[in-house]
Every structure is written in structure tokens, then in C-alpha cells.
Amino acid sequence: MPKITVLPHHDICPEGAEVELEEGSNLCKGLLNEGIKIEHACEMSKACTTCHVVIRKGFNSLEEMDDIEADLLDRAWGLEADSRLSCQVIVEDKDLTVEIPKYTLNHAKENH
């Protein structure tokens, strides 16, 4: 199973984490199932950018994003070339290193 390394984030994952997710699993759901409480204000319907992550390692192993995800990412805080919406990332057979940006544009933060 691919290993997902989550870099430290001051609120969500202060110590960082390392988890294994099955190939074909959704990154956001997998992180949530492992206790990493990544924001996901639109309930993973591809309508916001709160689950924005930067894939520091393994980006090229992922399927290409569609136009809707690309348009949404233009609104994300801290956008980088290797940014993705974690709700749209399907884990492939390669290990990933994921950074959760320091901030998110969530105007109505929910208690997830």
C-alpha cells in the first residue's frame, strides 16, 4: 500500500503523520479516516478549496486534474504548481508527501 506522509501543520497535524492508504482510495477521505481532520467544507463535492493540499512528492503519479478542479484551485490560498484538492485525488501506487497549507479560504468554518 502507498505510504502517505503528511508534513506537520500547526493545527491539523502538529507532529506530522505517516499513514498507508489503499491504492484507488480518495486522499481526503483516507486522511479523515486516519484521524487527520483536514477541512472539507463542501463535503467533497468539488465546490470549494478548503481541502487544498500541496503534493510535495509523488505529484506526477496522480491522474491529471479536470478543468473544474483547476478553476477552483485558482482561488486557493497559497497555490503552487503541485497543488490539488485532496477530495479529488485518487491515491495511485506511489508514495505521496502532502503538505496542508497554513491557511484556507473557509468563510463558514464547520466543526468536522
Side-chain angles (χ1 to χ4, degrees), residues 10-75:
H10 65 286
D11 288 331
I12 297 170
C13 192
E15 303 296 320
E18 194 172 281
V19 300
E20 289 187 353
L21 299 180
E22 288 189 33
E23 185 178 342
S25 62
N26 177 286
L27 180 60
C28 187
K29 288 179 186 177
L31 294 176
L32 289 166
N33 289 340
E34 293 291 332
I36 300 167
K37 298 185 187 310
I38 189 165
E39 287 194 50
H40 55 291
C42 72
E43 296 300 323
M44 298 177 242
S45 66
K46 198 166 42 169
C48 74
T49 63
T50 60
C51 71
H52 167 227
V53 295
V54 180
I55 308 296
R56 294 288 179 206
K57 177 183 163 199
F59 181 84
N60 291 330
S61 72
L62 304 174
E63 286 189 25
E64 197 170 310
M65 73 179 83
D66 65 19
D67 290 340
I68 295 170
E69 181 181 359
D71 288 345
L72 280 169
L73 278 170
D74 284 341
R75 302 180 208 157

Side-chain angles (χ1 to χ4, degrees), residues 4 27 52-62 80-86 89 95-100:
I4 312 302
L27 180 60
H52 167 227
V53 295
V54 180
I55 308 296
R56 294 288 179 206
K57 177 183 163 199
F59 181 84
N60 291 330
S61 72
L62 304 174
E80 295 190 25
D82 295 338
S83 288
R84 292 294 304 264
L85 297 179
S86 65
V89 171
D95 295 345
L96 299 176
T97 299
V98 176
E99 181 177 359
I100 302 168

Side-chain angles (χ1 to χ4, degrees), residues 87-98:
C87 72
Q88 299 304 303
V89 171
I90 302 302
V91 176
E92 300 293 336
D93 61 345
K94 302 288 185 199
D95 295 345
L96 299 176
T97 299
V98 176

